Amino acid sequence: MKVLVVEHDPATAALLAATLREAGDVAVVETNGAAALATALEHHFDAIVLEIAIPGLDGLSIVHRLRRQHCHTPVLILSGRHSNRDVIHGLNAGADDYLTKPFDIEVFLARLRAVARRGLAPLALLLSAGNLVLNTATREVQRGSRPLHLTRTEYSLLELLVRNTGRVVPREQIVETVWGFDSQIENATLDTFVHLLRRKVDPPSEEKLIHTVRGVGYSLRTKSRAKTGPSSRSATPVQTPA
């Protein structure tokens, strides 16, 4: 795996690079935001580890510009900013995951590998639930005629829910599927992702699709599915590749 590490602190940058290389990965380190953006756009990386507070160009601006230029390399923010607002801003900017400092090195590696796995190309298939349609090849999502712009993690979460339309997906299954079985995702982190996803999928003018099942997990239901109960089949494949 080839990883771009964007970190201004020399000691932390050296630690991350050494950890990745010991794990058999290739690590490229940038300490300046503008240089990091150019490197990310000019070269292929399997994942980017990104600090927010870096000179030249801050981390949130880097993510914004990468996504605007259709660079979908998975991004793990690794930052000393740890408030809920900071996490939400990072995820809204287009990052795929957010890990705060100080951090456990094993947790860091697990979260990074989970983020990188979500960058793999999916099988081509259209899935639908009500007027919500997902293209699993391009990761394009539409609700009616309105395109939804989702981060990789938001998309993975939504796809899991759509594939299980009418069923309750337990929290443990969501974490294992979206982040990986070895990830240590807290309940608050999962709830934050669902909150951000709901803001995009379920505007006030539309039928509410994503539902919370307290103490269990989450469910995606349309009005027709809600009548049939949890034994309903999962989302309908609309089209398969030729």
Side-chain angles (χ1 to χ4, degrees):
M1 185 167 68
K2 186 177 180 181
V3 181
L4 174 61
V5 176
V6 185
E7 172 60 61
H8 71 288
D9 178 65
T12 304
L15 172 63
L16 294 174
T19 298
L20 290 167
R21 289 162 186 161
E22 288 175 6
D25 301 315
V26 175
V28 176
V29 177
E30 291 286 0
T31 58
N32 176 275
L37 176 62
T39 300
L41 292 173
E42 292 172 7
H43 304 279
H44 169 76
F45 292 95
D46 297 295
I48 299 172
V49 178
L50 179 64
E51 169 60 86
I52 294 177
I54 52 176
L57 189 67
D58 70 271
L60 296 184
S61 297
I62 291 175
V63 179
H64 274 300
R65 296 191 187 191
L66 288 175
R67 300 317 187 217
R68 281 204 305 266
Q69 297 189 49
H70 307 289
C71 176
H72 300 293
T73 304
V75 173
L76 169 63
I77 289 179
L78 185 62
S79 175
R81 300 179 181 178
H82 49 75
S83 71
N84 288 339
R85 183 178 296 275
D86 290 322
V87 175
I88 290 172
H89 283 169
L91 299 177
N92 272 336
D96 298 273
D97 202 354
Y98 195 112
L99 184 62
T100 59
K101 299 175 181 178
F103 57 92
D104 180 271
I105 202 67
E106 296 296 332
V107 173
F108 161 73
L109 285 174
R111 297 277 282 269
L112 179 62
R113 299 209 183 287
V115 163
R117 282 196 297 271
R118 295 199 295 276
L120 299 176
L123 297 174
L125 179 70
L126 294 185
L127 301 174
S128 70
N131 65 346
L132 180 71
V133 179
L134 285 72
N135 185 320
T136 63
T138 63
R139 296 194 169 220
E140 294 175 332
V141 181
Q142 280 191 292
R143 179 137 196 212
S145 60
R146 179 172 61 92
L148 306 183
H149 303 289
L150 307 181
T151 67
R152 287 184 181 274
T153 302
E154 289 169 348
Y155 174 85
S156 297
L157 175 56
L158 181 61
E159 181 179 333
L160 175 62
L161 294 175
V162 171
R163 286 185 182 275
N164 290 276
T165 297
R167 301 172 181 158
V168 178
V169 186
R171 285 176 171 272
E172 295 79 6
Q173 182 181 345
I174 295 174
V175 171
E176 181 174 334
T177 303
V178 176
W179 283 274
F181 73 94
D182 52 355
S183 296
Q184 301 180 33
I185 300 297
E186 297 180 354
N187 284 333
T189 301
L190 173 57
D191 293 338
T192 296
F193 273 104
V194 174
H195 171 72
L196 294 172
L197 183 61
R198 274 181 169 143
R199 288 173 56 184
K200 298 178 180 180
V201 173
D202 289 336
S205 59
E206 296 270 9
E207 173 195 353
K208 181 180 178 181
L209 297 180
I210 300 174
H211 300 265
T212 301
V213 182
R214 294 189 180 278
V216 182
Y218 293 95
S219 175
L220 189 144
R221 300 194 304 269
T222 63
K223 289 182 179 178
S224 59
R225 293 286 184 179
K227 295 177 182 179
T228 61
S231 61
S232 304
R233 292 183 180 180
S234 58
T236 305
V238 183
Q239 175 183 337
T240 53

